[in-house]
Every structure is written in structure tokens, then in C-alpha cells.
Amino acid sequence: MAAASIIEELEEVISRGTSDRRVETLRRVTDLFLNDADRYTEAQIELFDDVIMRLSTAMERAVRQQLAERLAPVMSAPKTVIRSLAQDDEIDVARPILMLSAQLDDKTLAGIARTKSQEHMLAIAGRKTIGEKVTDVLVERGDARVALSVASNDGARFSSEGYGALVERAKGDDTLAECIGLRQDIPPYLFRVILATARENVRKRLIASTTAREKVQLAGAIAGVADRIAVGTATSARDLTAIHRAIVVMNNRGELGEAQLKAYAEAGKTDETVCALSVLCGVPLDMVERLFIGERPDPILILARSAGLSWPTLRAVLKTRPGAAGTSAAGLDETRESYDKLTANTALRVLRFWQVRESSAKAS
């Protein structure tokens, strides 16, 4: 048999064969594997894995690159060989494996992204699908090319932390901001951050790319989030100074907490709810007022998560907002899903941005 004949040569080739003979044997073994790759048993594939690994060790770059290009698209390719080629320091060897091989799991890809070059990460960013554990590392360690590539990849999935970090990187980068804004899976609260921080021309292109129904929502988002957090764009007809002062005193006495906030909200005491939310979040009262009156609940989710509020308390708070938009059963289900996905770190990062923006506006 051809397989038996080739296997019998291996020990001699590996121990005493010339470089050219080793390359030729590697080519023949690889050909033998590829000819029936989809028919071999797991045990047979493990045998090929061992043989190809032993033959390819210390081969010159061109040989390893050719091996990688041949094995990368094969679903049943030998796993040890694939992982070795994927971790090769030579990007020309690693690239086809990193981009195409289905044998690499998220743990392996994340490990390579943490330790290898920007070119390795760029190759990973081009995969057909990328899991959250991997994109977290790409966003954290990757350069501008990597960030743009993974943001442009429709098959990439991001954790709440990863998405928040990606949006943070987009500040001042019009190309990245537009790319993120065009993604279909971007959470609404982060989309509004993109709109609030993007340049006018980017904002216009994002609106122009949407359907008519979405344009209405986006127009409201621009008028709502971007304008509400700008100083002076909304003024209160009420003077909440006295209420706010009384709630500050309660807080200093240790009498203010989530339970009291929920009680205010459930009693329909909007002014007290706004003032208590301001104190608990450590956010200026006028800023909470502006965020509170918007059409969408997203900014309140940011405040609530930063303060560590539970969903029942947030739900009660949302129902006290003017008009109580988005408090239908379906609307609340959607909002809760968004809140569950929102992490404290992401909320605090967005909140810090709002505070810096407000301070800068006041200083100017």
C-alpha cells in the first residue's frame, strides 16, 4: 500500500535524510492526506498529524508556508500541525491558517492574539467568524489597522466590554467611528455615543445609510443624546434646588439608597427620583434632568448601571419619565435585554465621557 510504503521511509528520512529528501517526503505525505482527507478516521488523522509534524519541524519558511496554504482550508486538517503553523513567528506561514482554518478554537486564537505580532492579529481579524474572547484581545492590543479590520468584519462578535472599548477608540477616528456605526449589532446606547462624538459629515453618512424607519429614530437620537448632554441645550422649568439639597442631607445621614429611589419612582415623584438618581450616581443634577427627558431610555440605563441599580428599580425609574416612552411590555423587554448586556465598566466609561464633555463645554 502507498501509505505503508511511505510510513516505512519516515524513520530513515527523519534521522538520516537530506533536506531535499525530507521536503519530498513531506510533500508525498501531505498529498496522501489531502487525497482522502474527508474519509480518514480520527486515529488515522492523528497518525498523519504526528508524521507531518515531525517532518515539518525546522523546515525553511517557504516549505512551511506551502504546507500552511495547503492545509488551511481543510476542515479535518491535523490539529497539532495547524496550531504549530498558526503560532509560527513568520506571518507568511501563519496567515493562511489564522485566516482560514476551522481547527483553531477561541482559546488558541486569543492566546496568539495576546502574544504575537500586529500582523498576526490582522490575519485573525479577517476570519469569517470571530468570537467575543478573541475580539476582546484584538480591540485591546491591536493597532488602528486591526481595530478597523475587526470592526468591518460582519462575522465578528463583541462583548459589551469589547464594544465599549472599540467605541472609545473611535473618538477622533472618523473612519473607525463610521465603520462601527454601520454595524447591525451595535447596542443602541453605544450607537448614540457614536452619534454624539462623531463629526457632522460622519453623522450625516450614518443617517443616509439607514432605512426610512431608522432615520426617524436616528434623528431623535441625535437631537436627544448629543444635544441633551451639551450644556445649555435644555433648561428646566422647575427649581429642584431645595429637593436636591434635602436628598443630599439624607444621603449624608446614610438614609438614601436604592430602596428609597425605588420608593420615589413607584410613588410617581419625578423630581425626587431625578434628584436621588443624581446623588446616587454622583452626576450633576442638570445633566441628569437633560438625560431624563429624552425620547429613548438608553442614557438612564447608563446612569443606572453605573450606580449598580437592579432591574426592578430601573423599571420603576423609567416609568416616571415624561411620557414614559418605551414602557410598553415589549419596550421594557427590549430595554431589560439591553440592560443585562450593559456592563458596569462600559457604563462608567460612557459616563466619564459625558462628564468630561460637560466640563469642557462649561470651561469654554
Side-chain angles (χ1 to χ4, degrees), residues 63-107:
V63 176
R64 301 197 313 277
Q65 179 179 345
Q66 184 181 53
L67 179 63
E69 290 171 349
R70 299 186 73 191
L71 293 179
V74 181
M75 292 292 293
S76 59
K79 293 181 180 180
T80 304
V81 174
I82 287 294
R83 289 172 182 166
S84 175
L85 293 171
Q87 297 178 69
D88 200 296
D89 288 337
E90 294 284 352
I91 185 57
D92 287 342
V93 175
R95 183 182 292 111
I97 302 295
L98 293 176
M99 293 187 69
L100 299 174
S101 180
Q103 294 285 24
L104 300 176
D105 57 23
D106 282 357
K107 182 178 180 181

Side-chain angles (χ1 to χ4, degrees), residues 90-163:
E90 294 284 352
I91 185 57
D92 287 342
V93 175
R95 183 182 292 111
I97 302 295
L98 293 176
M99 293 187 69
L100 299 174
S101 180
Q103 294 285 24
L104 300 176
D105 57 23
D106 282 357
K107 182 178 180 181
T108 301
L109 288 167
I112 294 172
R114 287 191 191 96
T115 58
K116 295 297 181 178
S117 71
Q118 295 293 324
E119 294 298 329
H120 286 72
M121 285 190 282
L122 189 62
I124 294 172
R127 290 177 66 85
K128 184 177 181 179
T129 60
I130 316 174
E132 293 180 1
K133 291 181 180 178
V134 183
T135 57
D136 278 352
V137 182
L138 296 179
V139 172
E140 178 186 354
R141 285 197 67 234
D143 60 18
R145 296 175 305 155
V146 174
L148 183 60
S149 179
V150 73
S152 304
N153 189 337
D154 290 338
R157 294 293 171 261
F158 298 91
S159 66
S160 296
E161 287 288 324
Y163 238 137

Side-chain angles (χ1 to χ4, degrees), residues 249-326:
V249 171
M250 287 180 59
N251 186 59
N252 292 340
R253 292 175 178 170
E255 299 171 359
L256 180 67
E258 180 174 343
Q260 184 59 55
L261 171 64
K262 185 181 180 184
Y264 285 144
E266 290 179 337
K269 296 181 177 180
T270 302
D271 293 349
E272 286 80 358
T273 299
V274 169
C275 292
L277 196 58
S278 168
V279 174
L280 289 173
C281 295
V283 175
L285 178 58
D286 57 348
M287 182 177 176
V288 176
E289 283 189 276
R290 291 195 298 275
L291 296 174
F292 206 74
I293 64 176
E295 296 178 6
R296 295 281 302 178
D298 304 53
I300 308 304
L301 271 61
I302 299 293
L303 295 176
R305 183 60 79 196
S306 68
L309 301 183
S310 66
W311 167 248
T313 299
L314 172 57
R315 180 177 56 193
V317 169
L318 291 174
K319 289 184 176 181
T320 67
R321 296 166 62 241

